[in-house]
mmCIF file of all heavy atoms in Angstrom:
data_model
loop_
_atom_site.group_PDB
_atom_site.id
_atom_site.type_symbol
_atom_site.label_atom_id
_atom_site.label_comp_id
_atom_site.label_asym_id
_atom_site.label_seq_id
_atom_site.Cartn_x
_atom_site.Cartn_y
_atom_site.Cartn_z
ATOM 1 N N LYS A 37 3.969 -26.561 -4.722
ATOM 2 C CA LYS A 37 5.032 -26.987 -3.821
ATOM 3 C C LYS A 37 6.268 -26.164 -3.989
ATOM 4 O O LYS A 37 6.750 -25.826 -5.068
ATOM 5 C CB LYS A 37 5.339 -28.538 -4.124
ATOM 6 C CG LYS A 37 6.579 -28.951 -3.212
ATOM 7 C CD LYS A 37 6.634 -30.381 -3.171
ATOM 8 C CE LYS A 37 7.722 -30.760 -2.127
ATOM 9 N NZ LYS A 37 7.972 -32.265 -1.865
ATOM 10 N N ALA A 38 6.710 -25.709 -2.834
ATOM 11 C CA ALA A 38 7.855 -24.794 -2.743
ATOM 12 C C ALA A 38 9.078 -25.580 -2.346
ATOM 13 O O ALA A 38 10.025 -25.747 -3.168
ATOM 14 C CB ALA A 38 7.727 -23.626 -1.899
ATOM 15 N N THR A 39 9.056 -26.134 -1.157
ATOM 16 C CA THR A 39 10.187 -26.638 -0.607
ATOM 17 C C THR A 39 9.911 -27.971 0.248
ATOM 18 O O THR A 39 8.747 -28.192 0.541
ATOM 19 C CB THR A 39 10.896 -25.611 0.342
ATOM 20 O OG1 THR A 39 9.876 -24.985 1.126
ATOM 21 C CG2 THR A 39 11.654 -24.556 -0.475
ATOM 22 N N GLU A 40 11.029 -28.590 0.750
ATOM 23 C CA GLU A 40 10.977 -29.743 1.466
ATOM 24 C C GLU A 40 12.276 -29.929 2.344
ATOM 25 O O GLU A 40 13.314 -29.658 1.879
ATOM 26 C CB GLU A 40 10.839 -31.039 0.609
ATOM 27 C CG GLU A 40 10.582 -32.403 1.339
ATOM 28 C CD GLU A 40 10.397 -33.459 0.339
ATOM 29 O OE1 GLU A 40 9.651 -33.294 -0.623
ATOM 30 O OE2 GLU A 40 10.726 -34.698 0.762
ATOM 31 N N GLY A 41 12.004 -30.215 3.584
ATOM 32 C CA GLY A 41 13.253 -30.374 4.368
ATOM 33 C C GLY A 41 14.088 -29.057 4.564
ATOM 34 O O GLY A 41 13.448 -27.940 4.387
ATOM 35 N N GLN A 42 15.378 -29.161 4.799
ATOM 36 C CA GLN A 42 16.267 -27.989 4.990
ATOM 37 C C GLN A 42 16.792 -27.481 3.827
ATOM 38 O O GLN A 42 17.398 -26.288 3.735
ATOM 39 C CB GLN A 42 17.369 -28.380 6.045
ATOM 40 C CG GLN A 42 16.822 -28.501 7.411
ATOM 41 C CD GLN A 42 17.838 -28.897 8.439
ATOM 42 O OE1 GLN A 42 18.598 -27.953 8.883
ATOM 43 N NE2 GLN A 42 18.052 -30.186 8.626
ATOM 44 N N THR A 43 16.782 -28.112 2.619
ATOM 45 C CA THR A 43 17.549 -27.712 1.418
ATOM 46 C C THR A 43 16.871 -27.831 0.173
ATOM 47 O O THR A 43 17.123 -27.188 -0.793
ATOM 48 C CB THR A 43 18.880 -28.585 1.343
ATOM 49 O OG1 THR A 43 18.650 -29.927 1.333
ATOM 50 C CG2 THR A 43 19.847 -28.240 2.444
ATOM 51 N N TYR A 44 15.831 -28.697 0.055
ATOM 52 C CA TYR A 44 15.282 -29.035 -1.226
ATOM 53 C C TYR A 44 14.216 -27.987 -1.632
ATOM 54 O O TYR A 44 13.366 -27.537 -0.919
ATOM 55 C CB TYR A 44 14.507 -30.409 -1.164
ATOM 56 C CG TYR A 44 13.744 -30.828 -2.427
ATOM 57 C CD1 TYR A 44 14.335 -31.354 -3.462
ATOM 58 C CD2 TYR A 44 12.415 -30.487 -2.553
ATOM 59 C CE1 TYR A 44 13.605 -31.820 -4.546
ATOM 60 C CE2 TYR A 44 11.670 -30.854 -3.565
ATOM 61 C CZ TYR A 44 12.184 -31.467 -4.706
ATOM 62 O OH TYR A 44 11.558 -31.720 -5.766
ATOM 63 N N THR A 45 14.404 -27.496 -2.935
ATOM 64 C CA THR A 45 13.492 -26.720 -3.459
ATOM 65 C C THR A 45 12.885 -27.310 -4.788
ATOM 66 O O THR A 45 13.627 -27.753 -5.656
ATOM 67 C CB THR A 45 13.954 -25.312 -3.874
ATOM 68 O OG1 THR A 45 14.583 -24.675 -2.715
ATOM 69 C CG2 THR A 45 13.007 -24.376 -4.435
ATOM 70 N N ASP A 46 11.583 -27.343 -4.976
ATOM 71 C CA ASP A 46 10.838 -28.008 -6.173
ATOM 72 C C ASP A 46 11.362 -27.172 -7.393
ATOM 73 O O ASP A 46 11.335 -25.931 -7.462
ATOM 74 C CB ASP A 46 9.424 -27.939 -6.036
ATOM 75 C CG ASP A 46 8.749 -28.664 -7.058
ATOM 76 O OD1 ASP A 46 8.800 -28.091 -8.328
ATOM 77 O OD2 ASP A 46 8.023 -29.657 -6.820
ATOM 78 N N ARG A 47 11.910 -27.874 -8.461
ATOM 79 C CA ARG A 47 12.557 -27.337 -9.489
ATOM 80 C C ARG A 47 11.572 -26.562 -10.365
ATOM 81 O O ARG A 47 11.915 -25.537 -11.083
ATOM 82 C CB ARG A 47 13.327 -28.305 -10.343
ATOM 83 C CG ARG A 47 12.472 -29.280 -11.253
ATOM 84 C CD ARG A 47 13.414 -29.834 -12.248
ATOM 85 N NE ARG A 47 13.885 -31.099 -11.850
ATOM 86 C CZ ARG A 47 13.377 -32.303 -12.236
ATOM 87 N NH1 ARG A 47 12.417 -32.328 -13.084
ATOM 88 N NH2 ARG A 47 13.858 -33.400 -11.748
ATOM 89 N N ASN A 48 10.209 -26.817 -10.213
ATOM 90 C CA ASN A 48 9.212 -26.135 -11.121
ATOM 91 C C ASN A 48 8.489 -24.953 -10.222
ATOM 92 O O ASN A 48 7.575 -24.246 -10.656
ATOM 93 C CB ASN A 48 8.190 -26.971 -11.656
ATOM 94 C CG ASN A 48 8.817 -27.932 -12.702
ATOM 95 O OD1 ASN A 48 9.844 -27.786 -12.991
ATOM 96 N ND2 ASN A 48 7.885 -28.846 -13.255
ATOM 97 N N PHE A 49 9.001 -24.698 -8.959
ATOM 98 C CA PHE A 49 8.308 -23.950 -8.054
ATOM 99 C C PHE A 49 8.164 -22.400 -8.599
ATOM 100 O O PHE A 49 7.056 -22.058 -8.800
ATOM 101 C CB PHE A 49 9.070 -23.789 -6.742
ATOM 102 C CG PHE A 49 8.973 -22.629 -5.962
ATOM 103 C CD1 PHE A 49 7.666 -22.158 -5.473
ATOM 104 C CD2 PHE A 49 10.044 -21.906 -5.425
ATOM 105 C CE1 PHE A 49 7.568 -21.057 -4.789
ATOM 106 C CE2 PHE A 49 9.845 -20.778 -4.603
ATOM 107 C CZ PHE A 49 8.628 -20.360 -4.402
ATOM 108 N N VAL A 50 9.290 -21.893 -9.100
ATOM 109 C CA VAL A 50 9.175 -20.425 -9.511
ATOM 110 C C VAL A 50 8.381 -20.381 -10.847
ATOM 111 O O VAL A 50 7.424 -19.504 -10.922
ATOM 112 C CB VAL A 50 10.575 -19.862 -9.745
ATOM 113 C CG1 VAL A 50 10.471 -18.409 -10.445
ATOM 114 C CG2 VAL A 50 11.281 -19.694 -8.449
ATOM 115 N N SER A 51 8.579 -21.293 -11.805
ATOM 116 C CA SER A 51 7.868 -21.232 -13.028
ATOM 117 C C SER A 51 6.364 -21.440 -12.822
ATOM 118 O O SER A 51 5.481 -20.785 -13.461
ATOM 119 C CB SER A 51 8.449 -22.161 -14.119
ATOM 120 O OG SER A 51 8.383 -23.451 -13.678
#
Side-chain angles (χ1 to χ4, degrees):
K37 177 156 184 182
T39 47
E40 177 172 336
Q42 293 182 75
T43 54
Y44 175 86
T45 301
D46 187 289
R47 76 164 92 102
N48 291 358
F49 156 57
V50 173
S51 59

